[in-house]
Amino acid sequence: MTVALDLAPTSEAEVSEILADCHARRTPLRIAGGGTRIENPFLAETLSLSRLSGVVTYSPGEMTLIARPGTPLPEVRQMLAAEGQALAFEPPDLRGVLGGNGTPTLGGVVAANASGPRRLLTGACRDHLLGVRFVDGRGRVLKNGGRVMKNVTGLDLSKLLAGSHGTLAVLTEVVLKTLPLSPARTTLVFPGVTETTALRIFTAALSTPFEVSGAAHVGGTAYLRVEGLEGQLAYRRDRLLALLADWQPQVMEGAPWDAIRDVAHFAGGGPLWRILCKPTDAPSLCQGLRAMGGDCSLDWGGGLIWYRGPGNPRGLAPHATLVRRDGATGPAFPPLTGAVARLHDGLRRTFDPAGILNPGLMDA
């Protein structure tokens, strides 16, 4: 019996029925939350998770949040802030970059492993993901992990699904660890510096025990953020000021970290690429990218380059993802080769043997 498709399911059971039917008929699906993470040109029926929304459980005392994938990220932030907590990995909001009308969702954050400047100190989204419930490409409902740390035996599938962009399974519930909000923060600013100088500053600061929680370079200015309790924050700030005195740092309160997180400086037109690299390679890569006619910014102490401009940067930087097309063509994700490609194909065949989940998005 063929299941009548409702492509905006409100329950896990409905997701399972839809995927089982699409698997049997080999009907491809475009998996979407708020549509605010990456431009997906794949043309197919869209399975929207926006109605599979809501917080299942939030325990501030246990610092644990359980929610469905369509739960809007702004609502989650507001709820956690009311309890003095936050998602420590600082997920970015790319609505300004992509110019869409959608709302970022918690499932989209996990599916993209979306992580902001604080990843430098606290780790990525997947490092705070305690467990998941999901439906695979056959329509099977599965779960992995739990509600506390270190309770997983065998393969931790939640870490595998984080960053898979809906190509392996459809998330129906996520369990995330929350952390207290830092009561105070300050930023050291270094105006008029190149990427090469910024990397020297980052290297010096990040080799200290002073827990720098943000290191970015935007528009010729380098930024270093420190967060924590007021008393110890002043000590760490002063030690960093003394250490980096040769670069004449300035102290800035209310620095634009939300804008840095959301790549607001590259909102608007032009193809936008997200490039992962070794921090020590960032200055030379930026020099080559600028020679292509575009502009760059750095995050994660140089481990993340945002490039806006013409051309395909994969000739210089293999790990480049096309986030905003604006006329650019070709696959969004870099092609895989060798053992990595074989492993990727094997996982796809295991989780989605009919190839119905976002085909072409990560394997083109």
Side-chain angles (χ1 to χ4, degrees):
M1 177 178 177
T2 300
V3 178
L5 288 182
D6 174 9
L7 297 185
T10 59
S11 69
E12 184 179 74
E14 290 179 11
V15 174
S16 175
E17 290 177 354
I18 291 170
L19 293 188
D21 178 66
C22 289
H23 168 76
R25 297 189 296 112
R26 280 175 160 65
T27 300
L29 289 172
R30 179 179 181 270
I31 313 303
T36 63
R37 291 289 156 200
I38 190 170
E39 286 188 354
N40 182 359
F42 177 65
L43 299 177
E45 292 186 277
T46 297
L47 176 66
S48 171
L49 300 175
S50 59
R51 294 173 61 194
L52 189 58
S53 177
V55 173
V56 177
T57 303
Y58 172 42
S59 303
E62 298 178 359
M63 295 189 292
T64 303
L65 169 68
I66 306 174
R68 299 182 183 93
T71 308
L73 179 60
E75 291 182 14
V76 172
R77 283 185 171 141
Q78 184 177 12
M79 180 186 68
L80 297 182
E83 297 291 339
Q85 296 185 358
L87 296 173
F89 52 91
E90 203 173 7
D93 183 342
L94 299 184
R95 281 179 288 185
V97 166
L98 294 181
N101 298 320
T103 300
T105 63
L106 202 59
V109 167
V110 173
N113 192 34
S115 311
R118 203 176 290 117
R119 182 190 189 281
L120 193 68
L121 178 66
T122 62
C125 170
R126 64 165 52 94
D127 299 309
H128 299 265
L129 185 61
L130 303 179
V132 292
R133 289 180 64 93
F134 61 95
V135 182
D136 72 2
R138 301 177 184 178
R140 298 180 300 180
V141 177
L142 303 165
K143 65 178 180 178
N144 184 252
R147 303 187 180 195
V148 297
M149 300 292 286
K150 297 183 180 179
N151 68 344
V152 178
T153 58
L155 180 63
D156 189 353
L157 297 180
S158 62
K159 304 298 188 288
L160 179 66
L161 296 182
S164 65
H165 289 269
T167 61
L168 297 179
V170 175
L171 297 170
T172 56
E173 190 174 280
V174 298
V175 186
L176 286 162
K177 179 183 178 183
T178 63
L179 287 179
L181 279 168
S182 295
R185 58 190 56 82
T186 193
T187 301
L188 275 59
V189 179
F190 305 79
V193 297
T194 65
E195 286 93 0
T196 299
T197 301
L199 189 68
R200 294 194 185 109
I201 293 169
F202 297 160
T203 301
L206 294 172
S207 64
T208 71
F210 303 134
E211 295 186 337
V212 173
S213 68
H217 180 263
V218 178
T221 298
Y223 300 87
L224 289 176
R225 181 179 62 185
V226 286
E227 301 174 289
L229 300 174
E230 190 70 48
Q232 50 127 297
L233 182 68
Y235 170 79
R236 289 155 56 205
R237 177 200 63 206
D238 292 344
R239 292 295 300 271
L240 285 169
L241 285 171
L243 174 69
L244 305 171
D246 289 346
W247 290 291
Q248 301 179 331
Q250 304 169 15
V251 176
M252 174 187 286
E253 304 302 334
W257 283 102
D258 285 357
I260 293 171
R261 176 198 70 194
D262 299 340
V263 205
H265 49 284
F266 286 152
L272 181 66
W273 297 78
R274 180 179 182 270
I275 299 169
L276 302 180
C277 67
K278 292 191 299 183
T280 51
D281 292 341
S284 61
L285 283 175
C286 286
Q287 183 178 5
L289 291 168
R290 284 204 172 88
M292 293 171 56
D295 199 7
C296 305
S297 67
L298 303 180
D299 203 346
W300 302 354
L304 170 61
I305 299 174
W306 290 97
Y307 169 69
R308 180 177 67 179
N312 188 331
R314 288 180 184 144
L316 297 172
H319 302 291
T321 299
L322 182 56
V323 174
R324 183 179 65 211
R325 291 182 174 273
D326 198 19
T329 59
F333 289 86
L336 302 176
T337 59
V340 175
R342 292 192 294 273
L343 177 61
H344 173 83
D345 291 342
L347 288 170
R348 290 293 297 268
R349 288 193 298 270
T350 299
F351 283 86
D352 180 23
I356 65 171
L357 301 177
N358 279 344
L361 182 62
M362 297 188 75
D363 55 356

